[in-house]
Amino acid sequence: MATVLFVVTGARSWTLADGSSVPTGYWAEELVAPFEVLADAGHTVRFATPGGVRPVADERSLTPEATGGRDLREVLDDLEELSAPLRLEDVDLADYDAVFYPGGHGPMEDLAVDETSGTLITAAVERDVPLAIVCHGPAALLASDVTGRTVTGFSNEEERAGGKADQARWLLEDRLREAGFEVETGPAFEPKVVVDGMLLTGQNPASSRPLAQRLLEVLPS
């Protein structure tokens, strides 16, 4: 079976265009759903964050509206390794069969400029190690040397619908295009997965489980 590294944002706030900040973190569904898909299939998941800091879930992702009424707090509390993640700086890609990046606005704050994460992503793409990234997670691609690939991510339309587009320093879809990526987006908040070789991306929270299921298809069993 495979061992999959989840690289999780360590950010707890997201800086807006006016210099103010709002609480953030990872989006709970985008971590829990892929974890469950992989764990239920018998694979091992390890967690890492920049500096090994304990990650936090965006509180908005824990509301009944966001979880479909499911108590994700209880699920997250049971993930003991998430409370003491590996230091991303100590990670050796050779120890893992695949890498997964959950989203949330957090990655736009830290992983978008994290050199260690960028180096890991570059190496994964160069070595054809399966790399799956969802929602705002593709912000981490901006710190890598990868370009020209076809990806998806949280769209401008979705950011506007969420009420943060006018306040953001930059929008993920725009920045990915500016960095040289081919960006495909589907209907807002509907599942969409884009596969470009071993680089797999999902557009939004609804895409997290389908993305993990596509990842399963390329993992050793």
Side-chain angles (χ1 to χ4, degrees):
M1 305 305 290
T3 301
V4 182
L5 177 71
F6 273 40
V7 179
V8 184
T9 177
R12 298 186 175 216
S13 62
W14 178 37
T15 306
L16 302 177
D18 64 2
S20 65
S21 62
V22 293
T24 190
Y26 62 86
W27 199 259
E29 179 183 1
E30 297 167 14
L31 186 147
V32 170
F35 171 83
E36 291 179 336
V37 168
L38 295 167
D40 289 348
H43 300 297
T44 298
V45 172
R46 298 284 182 258
F47 299 99
T49 63
V53 301
R54 183 179 182 275
V56 298
D58 189 315
E59 284 294 324
R60 296 173 303 154
S61 72
L62 297 170
T63 64
E65 293 78 14
T67 66
R70 186 181 179 197
D71 185 359
L72 293 188
R73 291 181 191 273
E74 182 178 347
V75 178
L76 293 169
D77 287 344
D78 287 341
L79 293 178
E80 295 182 5
E81 291 187 8
L82 192 59
S83 64
L86 302 169
R87 282 173 33 92
L88 184 58
E89 296 81 358
D90 297 335
V91 163
D92 185 347
L93 180 60
D95 294 334
Y96 300 94
D97 300 290
V99 182
F100 192 99
Y101 279 71
H105 281 113
M108 296 177 72
E109 185 76 17
D110 60 354
L111 297 178
V113 294
D114 190 283
E115 293 183 5
T116 300
S117 173
T119 298
L120 179 74
I121 287 174
T122 300
V125 172
E126 289 178 345
R127 301 177 196 175
D128 277 337
V129 175
L131 172 64
I133 316 177
V134 68
C135 200
H136 289 91
L141 291 166
L142 300 172
S144 76
D145 292 330
V146 177
T147 190
R149 305 298 289 267
T150 302
V151 299
T152 190
F154 205 68
S155 68
N156 290 352
E157 179 185 2
E158 289 168 322
E159 203 72 83
R160 286 192 291 269
K164 294 297 184 184
D166 292 340
Q167 300 170 274
R169 289 179 296 169
W170 47 272
L171 300 180
L172 177 60
E173 180 182 343
D174 289 345
R175 187 60 66 85
L176 288 172
R177 293 186 191 279
E178 292 167 3
F181 292 91
E182 297 291 330
V183 182
E184 295 182 0
T185 60
F189 306 109
E190 294 294 323
K192 182 176 179 62
V193 173
V194 171
V195 177
D196 185 344
M198 288 295 178
L199 175 59
L200 302 80
T201 49
Q203 181 172 322
N204 46 37
S207 306
S208 56
R209 188 173 295 273
L211 177 62
Q213 290 167 339
R214 291 298 298 270
L215 180 59
L216 278 184
E217 297 174 8
V218 298
L219 289 179
S221 56

